[in-house]
């Protein structure tokens, strides 16, 4: 899936260097991109995505570098593994018991809130 976002149809295998929390990933990816000879943009000092500056003829190489550097620093499995049946039931219950009553009440005021008269 990660390779698709970079336009790579046949991604090479990439060994994870370190599993990191999403908020720690960006600086590591930026450093990796720099080490591989490209100029990264974004995420220095803020939480956000990483871009790469490249000439048109370098597009395929730049996308491969972006994919490789991102794949080396994956998030923990709890960020991408499928939900368990128990978690899906809890989400459904919350939607049914909390969210739907809010959506059907007048003025979208939760049913347990008393409006001033």
């Amino acid at each position: 899936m990660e390779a698709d976002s970079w336009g790579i149809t046949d991604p090479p295998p990439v060994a994870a260097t370190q599993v990191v929390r999403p908020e720690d990933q960006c600086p590591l990816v930026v450093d990796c991109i720099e080490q591989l000879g490209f100029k990264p943009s974004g995420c220095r000092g803020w939480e956000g995505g990483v871009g790469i500056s490249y000439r048109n003829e370098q597009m395929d190489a730049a996308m491969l570098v972006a994919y490789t550097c991102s794949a080396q620093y994956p998030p923990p499995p709890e960020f991408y593994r499928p939900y368990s049946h128990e978690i899906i039931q809890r989400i459904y219950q919350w939607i049914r018991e909390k969210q739907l009553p809010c959506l059907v009440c007048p003025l979208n005021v939760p049913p347990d809130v008393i409006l001033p008269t």
Side-chain angles (χ1 to χ4, degrees):
M1 180 161 137
E2 178 75 24
D4 291 341
S5 66
W6 294 106
I8 298 171
T9 55
D10 189 22
V14 177
T17 303
Q18 178 183 350
V19 174
V20 296
R21 308 251 339 137
E23 61 268 18
D24 300 328
Q25 183 186 38
C26 204
L28 295 168
V29 171
V30 164
D31 289 342
C32 175
I33 290 169
E34 288 175 339
Q35 290 174 13
L36 293 175
F38 283 89
K39 182 177 172 150
S41 61
C43 97
R44 292 254 190 222
W46 61 279
E47 301 298 327
V50 178
I52 299 180
S53 297
Y54 58 89
R55 294 187 313 270
N56 285 342
E57 62 272 11
Q58 294 178 308
M59 185 175 87
D60 290 341
M63 295 302 104
L64 184 59
V65 163
Y67 161 73
T68 301
C69 290
S70 295
Q72 285 180 0
Y73 300 100
E78 60 264 20
F79 285 88
Y80 57 84
R81 74 174 158 230
Y83 289 140
S84 68
H85 182 70
E86 177 188 345
I87 296 295
I88 291 171
Q89 284 184 310
R90 288 175 53 198
I91 292 169
Y92 175 76
Q93 181 180 3
W94 184 86
I95 291 171
R96 191 183 71 230
E97 294 176 7
K98 302 287 185 186
Q99 191 175 23
L100 286 177
C102 286
L103 294 173
V104 298
C105 67
L107 303 174
N108 288 332
V109 177
D112 57 343
V113 173
I114 299 173
L115 293 174
T117 55

